[in-house]
């Protein structure tokens, strides 16, 4: 049984923390704190590679398996940390993941309605589709983007993030980002 009014399923390539933010926004909360409190998840647990999906799944009324694909780990006892079912190695902390300082492509979020797990990777330094750097700071208040905000495209200051201006990126960086994203999504590389 769900404790929330709206409990969407995660998108196949969705960021786990982005999913929590999307669920919060869909339920009309001003930040994910409300959902985390319901799930009895501490702030420190949210921004680690050991995010407790079992607790979140109870609040959503979903089986934990429905969130396992987007979880940052699959077997904490063995120390295998994963993102979208891709191993990031054994006995890692959150080094390859960008969990405390989110960044994302607002154009992609506007088009797809979610934040892709690609943006959880520290290596994601440009959007392979829109050829722009990720948004890291609000163009209005200039503060770093946080997970604890009202919505996917809304800053804590209330500014809309969808149309932030950026400098286009071309060449080898975009090609590398295309390879990383294709590998993460399990898609064939296109030439």
């Amino acid at each position: 049984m769900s404790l929330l009014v709206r409990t969407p399923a995660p998108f196949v390539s969705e960021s786990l923390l982005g999913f929590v933010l999307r669920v919060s926004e869909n339920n009309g909360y001003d930040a994910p704190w409300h959902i985390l409190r319901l799930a009895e998840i501490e702030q420190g647990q949210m921004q680690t590679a050991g995010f407790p999906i079992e607790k979140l799944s109870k609040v959503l009324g979903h089986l934990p398996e429905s969130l396992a694909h987007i979880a940052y780990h699959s077997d904490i006892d063995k120390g295998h940390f994963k993102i979208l079912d891709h191993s990031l190695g054994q006995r890692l902390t959150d080094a390859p993941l960008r969990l405390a300082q989110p960044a994302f492509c607002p154009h992609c979020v506007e088009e797809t309605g979610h934040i892709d797990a690609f943006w959880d990777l520290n290596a994601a330094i440009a959007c392979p589709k829109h050829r722009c750097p990720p948004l890291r700071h609000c163009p209005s208040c200039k503060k770093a983007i946080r997970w604890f905000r009202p919505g996917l495209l809304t800053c804590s200051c209330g500014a809309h993030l969808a149309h932030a201006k950026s400098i286009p990126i071309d060449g080898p960086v975009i090609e590398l980002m295309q390879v990383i994203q294709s590998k993460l999504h399990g898609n064939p590389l296109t030439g």
Side-chain angles (χ1 to χ4, degrees):
M1 179 177 126
S2 171
L3 298 176
L4 301 171
V5 175
R6 295 190 175 113
T7 58
F11 288 94
V12 173
S13 65
E14 190 165 13
S15 159
L16 177 59
L17 298 180
F19 174 67
V20 172
L21 177 58
R22 184 167 65 89
V23 170
S24 174
E25 181 178 28
N26 284 343
N27 282 278
Y29 293 125
D30 60 354
W33 286 119
H34 306 286
I35 291 174
L36 296 176
R37 279 190 210 120
L38 279 173
E40 298 178 353
I41 296 173
E42 308 270 333
Q43 179 183 0
Q45 289 178 298
M46 183 173 171
Q47 296 177 342
T48 67
F51 184 95
I53 60 168
E54 299 79 16
K55 290 181 175 183
L56 179 62
S57 65
K58 287 179 186 176
V59 170
L60 295 172
H62 293 198
L63 294 174
E65 296 79 31
S66 69
L67 300 177
H69 177 69
I70 66 168
Y72 300 128
H73 71 87
S74 63
D75 190 344
I76 228 171
D77 295 331
K78 293 182 181 175
H80 290 276
F81 290 102
K82 293 184 177 187
I83 182 169
L84 298 186
D85 293 330
H86 291 280
S87 178
L88 298 177
Q90 292 184 332
R91 293 175 180 74
L92 294 174
T93 58
D94 59 355
L97 299 176
R98 178 190 295 136
L99 301 179
Q101 296 286 323
F104 63 94
C105 174
H107 310 294
C108 287
V109 173
E110 193 169 45
E111 290 173 10
T112 65
H114 71 280
I115 296 174
D116 196 286
F118 171 74
W119 296 109
D120 289 341
L121 299 172
N122 276 326
I125 59 170
C127 176
K129 180 176 183 185
H130 297 101
R131 300 178 173 271
C132 62
L135 185 63
R136 295 173 188 265
H137 294 87
C138 173
S140 182
C141 71
K142 309 298 185 224
K143 291 183 180 176
I145 300 293
R146 299 177 26 146
W147 287 117
F148 299 100
R149 59 184 194 266
L152 296 174
L153 291 170
T154 307
C155 179
S156 298
C157 75
H160 190 60
L161 303 172
H163 304 292
K165 303 215 185 289
S166 63
I167 299 169
I169 298 174
D170 286 321
V173 171
I174 295 301
E175 290 173 16
L176 178 60
M177 295 300 104
Q178 290 169 339
V179 169
I180 293 171
Q181 189 176 53
S182 292
K183 179 71 174 159
L184 181 66
H185 290 176
N187 296 333
L189 296 175
T190 56

